[in-house]
Amino acid sequence: MVIDPVARRTDGESVRIAKDVLCAGAAAKICLPDGPEEYARALARRGHRRPVVIGDDRALLRAVALLHKERDLAGVALAVVPVGAPGAVALSRALGVPTDTVAAARTVLDGTEQSLHLLTDDSDGIVLGGLDIPSGTEEGGRTRRRKRSGGARLPGPRGGAGGADGTAHEMAEAVAPGAGPVPPEEGPGADARPDTSAAWWRAPLRMARAALALLTARTRPAAGDSAATPGHRLRVEADGVVLADLDRPVRWVSVTPGDGADGSGLAEVVVHWQAAEPPVRARARAVTVSGADFRYRADVVVGGPVRTRTWTVQPDAWRLTLPHD
């Protein structure tokens, strides 16, 4: 049982509940790593025990990446008890793991192992749930909604601005247009403080900030206005077949590795055009994207900038303990 340090700091109560349920149902060795090196050593010393990760999506991805690096991923059945904010455990939820602590711990004890696909890229990176190109940070941090179904998990339209990274490790605080940290002299109760020689500029400063915020709101494109968002010139190839080329801007591209239960061993590729046209869909074993420096979001990690990258499906490459249904 490897308990992520972030989970211990952010939600100690859920960690305690998970430990109680797991220790009551099976013999367990508890590891409390304080950093990446200790995390790696704890997994390396697992012996014949099944590793159970208690933490958020980044903790799960770290465990999978370490096992992939050892080339022992297919031989180990992982289990996870998600602990974290909803955005920080979105990948676990999309994979089918219950996000309720008690239900997830009982799944570890009574669930079944299922083989799942994943994507590997030409830099030995891995993708469990799916990737978006560009990453979304270029367009105000749009988020991706993913739904688990009988087949591939298809990304829906990206909308909204909160939690672009989907994790509690790197949460960024949204700031209103034109706003910034409130100086001490402009906080609540400022008018009740003794006047100083610099007090004359407070009212004009407030008026200037309000005007700047109003102008920014009027000139900023509305959310979801694809016509106002500049397109991205990318060449997308699925098993050598060109789906999009540099002469036609795309809005975004998504790739999902599919579900190990579908038996196809193919990834689903969706190219969304800049104009209001139906997207192009394809299934392939390898997907290559090239173009000017672009970033991509692989699960909760933003990669790049790169000029070309190839992702390849690895069918049934890893096993995860999931509920019977």
Side-chain angles (χ1 to χ4, degrees):
M1 186 188 310
V2 182
I3 304 177
D4 186 67
V6 175
R8 303 200 304 266
R9 291 196 302 267
T10 59
D11 195 349
E13 179 64 16
S14 294
V15 170
R16 183 192 64 79
I17 292 172
K19 286 196 302 181
D20 290 347
V21 174
L22 293 174
C23 291
K29 178 180 180 180
I30 300 175
C31 301
L32 304 173
D34 288 325
E37 295 80 8
E38 293 184 13
Y39 197 100
R41 284 197 297 269
L43 276 181
R45 296 172 181 173
R46 65 187 179 277
H48 297 289
R49 292 179 290 267
R50 179 179 52 155
V52 178
V53 176
I54 299 180
D56 59 13
D57 292 341
R58 285 184 177 265
L60 172 62
L61 287 168
R62 187 179 301 116
V64 174
L66 289 169
L67 294 173
H68 174 69
K69 185 178 180 180
E70 295 178 5
R71 298 297 183 259
D72 195 24
L73 184 56
V76 178
L78 273 172
V80 59
V81 178
V83 174
V89 297
L91 172 61
S92 299
R93 181 172 59 250
L95 292 171
V97 180
T99 54
D100 176 75
T101 303
V102 175
R106 288 176 177 168
T107 297
V108 173
L109 299 172
D110 305 324
T112 58
E113 300 174 7
Q114 293 191 25
S115 296
L116 301 174
H117 303 341
L118 58 76
L119 300 172
T120 57
D121 63 36
D122 43 19
S123 67
D124 208 29
I126 59 171
V127 184
L128 302 183
L131 63 94
D132 283 346
I133 311 162
S135 66
T137 56
E138 299 87 349
E139 299 181 24
R142 296 177 303 175
T143 57
R144 166 173 84 245
R145 294 193 302 270
R146 217 171 275 285
K147 180 179 180 181
R148 181 177 175 84
S149 61
R153 294 172 300 280
L154 303 182
R158 297 182 295 180
D165 198 48
T167 179
H169 292 253
E170 296 180 1
M171 292 293 288
E173 184 179 11
V175 180
V182 178
E185 60 270 18
E186 293 185 28
D191 293 337
R193 297 173 184 169
D195 292 335
T196 65
S197 59
W200 62 269
W201 53 263
R202 291 176 187 165
L205 178 61
R206 292 193 189 99
M207 294 177 62
R209 283 183 173 175
L212 178 60
L214 181 60
L215 288 173
T216 305
R218 287 181 176 177
T219 58
R220 178 171 295 177
D225 186 2
S226 61
T229 304
H232 304 275
R233 297 189 179 274
L234 300 171
R235 180 181 174 91
V236 182
E237 301 173 66
D239 285 343
V241 178
V242 177
L243 304 181
D245 214 335
L246 301 176
D247 59 349
R248 186 178 183 188
V250 302
R251 186 181 179 195
W252 62 294
V253 181
S254 67
V255 184
T256 53
D259 196 318
D262 63 11
S264 67
L266 299 176
E268 176 142 1
V269 189
V270 185
V271 178
H272 297 262
W273 301 111
Q274 179 66 9
E277 300 179 32
V280 173
R281 299 177 182 269
R283 297 178 73 84
R285 293 191 181 277
V287 181
T288 299
V289 179
S290 55
D293 291 348
F294 64 89
R295 297 184 182 273
Y296 56 91
R297 183 181 301 279
D299 295 323
V300 299
V301 180
V302 174
V306 295
R307 294 193 174 183
T308 183
R309 180 124 293 171
T310 297
W311 290 270
T312 304
V313 181
Q314 306 297 333
D316 301 330
W318 68 299
R319 290 180 292 155
L320 183 65
T321 303
L322 296 174
H324 289 287
D325 55 358

